Amino acid sequence: MPKPVSRPSSRAKPQRRQQAVSRLNFAMPCDTAFRIVARRHLAELAAHQEATGKADPDGLHQMRIALTHLRATVLFFSPMVDDAVGAQLRNELKWLNSLLGSLRDLDVAIDRVRATNPEQPDTIPHFQAWRDKRVEGQRELTQALQSARYRRLIERLSRWIESGPWSTKAGRQAAQQRGTPIGPYSAEKLGQWEQKLLEKSRKLRRMSPRKRHRVRLLNKKLNYSIESVARLLRDKRLSKQRRAIKHLRKAQKSLGQLNDDVRARALLRELRQEGFKTPMQLLGPKGERRLLRATTEAYRKLAKLKPWT
């Protein structure tokens, strides 16, 4: 078992994380690969905690990205790391994701409101109500990031990554899962996820916003997993990586804009129920069709790429 590293801190240095990542190779066993990838994303999560707590929008964005990468990594290696402790930690990561996501949704909505009069946003009806809501959301998030619950989450994650029950599980299957080379495992896993995404997206234009959101989550899961593998495995056997990432990013951008519009409308309704009538730039039918066409085209090109294995 690799020597445990020190607990991630908010001052983790990017160059040290990059050195750790460069140690991976196509034949490395999955348990070692999981630790290296998960350590990196956990360190990135902790590195942006302070800025996020101080209401830095970029810190919030980067912390959400790190968290999404970490959750995708756990899911990517789920057959191997599935244990009782991991299940508890996944629920805690959902809690953190909900906090970060709620504040980000507010930022997107405020930007849409501001866009109706960018030169004089203070003249927008009830614009201050949106600002007050943002301040309240930031206060809740900052308190959460300073809480014992958050500290325990980071500490337990660090211990679980290094030496959780999954790492000592007895039995031939568990040992085989830990010892499987990361290269072949990645190719098979990415192929399965890609096929699932393409199947789910076939009726995209007729989907409800809720089902479309599920496709977006599948897209993000696959995209982030490929990105992690692409950084770690510079091997011709996975030459499909860059082309797949290009198409997935295009689809993710379009689906993200559609989801942002749905969330913005929900927040707008919420404030209007409180008596605040504020204008907001929203997607019309034409804009929605344009984004759906772009997503469908991206998946069409993804489907034409060669298989992973």
Side-chain angles (χ1 to χ4, degrees):
M1 180 182 300
K3 182 179 179 180
V5 298
S6 59
R7 185 180 305 155
S9 70
S10 60
R11 298 182 179 180
K13 297 182 179 180
Q15 54 266 43
R16 290 182 180 178
R17 294 197 299 272
Q18 185 60 39
Q19 288 173 1
V21 168
S22 66
R23 292 200 298 268
L24 264 72
N25 59 70
F26 199 84
M28 180 171 286
C30 279
D31 58 350
T32 305
F34 167 73
R35 289 189 179 97
I36 292 176
V37 180
R39 281 178 204 147
R40 174 165 61 89
H41 296 318
L42 182 58
E44 289 172 347
L45 181 73
H48 297 290
Q49 172 193 337
E50 183 176 355
T52 302
K54 293 181 177 179
D56 178 9
D58 185 61
L60 172 64
H61 178 63
Q62 294 302 325
M63 193 172 184
R64 288 188 73 241
I65 290 177
L67 177 58
T68 305
H69 271 292
L70 179 58
R71 294 179 72 196
T73 297
V74 173
L75 192 58
F76 188 75
F77 289 97
S78 58
M80 178 183 71
V81 300
D82 183 27
D83 60 35
V85 176
Q88 295 172 3
L89 291 172
R90 285 196 297 273
N91 287 332
E92 288 297 278
L93 290 175
K94 287 181 182 179
W95 162 73
L96 180 58
N97 185 65
S98 177
L99 290 171
L100 296 172
S102 295
L103 196 59
R104 193 265 181 184
D105 288 342
L106 265 175
D107 285 341
V108 171
I110 290 172
D111 285 343
R112 287 170 179 256
V113 171
R114 184 184 286 110
T116 63
N117 192 348
E119 300 299 325
Q120 296 179 303
D122 290 332
T123 65
I124 300 172
H126 306 296
F127 187 59
Q128 186 59 42
W130 287 90
R131 287 176 167 172
D132 292 344
K133 198 171 184 65
R134 209 288 178 189
V135 170
E136 180 184 351
Q138 179 64 57
R139 185 184 301 113
E140 292 177 358
L141 176 59
T142 299
Q143 290 175 349
L145 294 179
Q146 295 173 349
S147 68
R149 181 178 182 178
Y150 176 78
R151 289 193 298 272
R152 284 196 301 269
L153 170 59
I154 299 302
E155 291 168 358
R156 291 183 69 199
L157 270 169
S158 182
R159 291 196 299 269
W160 178 73
I161 289 169
E162 298 302 328
S163 56
W166 66 269
S167 66
T168 56
K169 189 185 300 183
R172 179 180 297 179
Q173 182 179 11
Q176 185 177 20
Q177 288 171 337
R178 292 192 293 266
T180 298
I182 182 61
Y185 175 81
S186 295
E188 181 178 2
K189 191 73 171 181
L190 293 175
Q192 292 172 353
W193 281 8
E194 179 187 76
Q195 186 61 36
K196 183 177 180 180
L197 174 63
L198 293 174
E199 289 176 357
K200 294 287 186 181
S201 65
R202 285 174 183 169
K203 298 180 180 179
L204 190 64
R205 297 186 183 185
R206 298 191 294 276
M207 283 183 184
S208 65
R210 182 182 294 274
K211 288 185 177 181
R212 195 169 60 207
H213 176 60
R214 292 173 185 167
V215 172
R216 172 177 167 268
L217 294 179
L218 283 172
N219 189 106
K220 186 180 290 188
K221 178 179 70 174
L222 178 59
N223 182 31
Y224 283 3
S225 296
I226 296 173
E227 285 180 350
S228 293
V229 172
R231 293 178 188 178
L232 306 175
L233 299 171
R234 302 184 182 281
D235 194 288
K236 293 181 179 179
R237 283 167 285 189
L238 291 177
S239 61
K240 177 181 176 178
Q241 292 169 347
R242 292 181 181 177
R243 293 190 295 275
I245 289 174
K246 177 182 177 181
H247 301 318
L248 287 167
R249 282 178 177 173
K250 287 183 178 180
Q252 186 169 316
K253 181 179 179 180
S254 296
L255 290 172
Q257 290 175 340
L258 289 165
N259 186 67
D260 286 345
D261 192 71
V262 172
R263 294 296 304 133
R265 289 175 187 272
L267 287 168
L268 185 61
R269 287 193 299 271
E270 181 181 323
L271 276 187
R272 284 180 175 173
Q273 288 174 356
E274 299 175 12
F276 301 108
K277 296 182 179 180
T278 308
M280 180 186 289
Q281 284 195 348
L282 298 168
L283 285 173
K286 185 176 180 180
E288 185 173 332
R289 287 195 296 270
R290 174 179 56 80
L291 292 172
L292 287 172
R293 283 197 301 269
T295 306
T296 300
E297 178 64 13
Y299 288 148
R300 186 188 67 80
K301 292 180 178 179
L302 179 66
K304 293 178 66 176
L305 297 180
K306 293 180 180 179
W308 288 98
T309 55

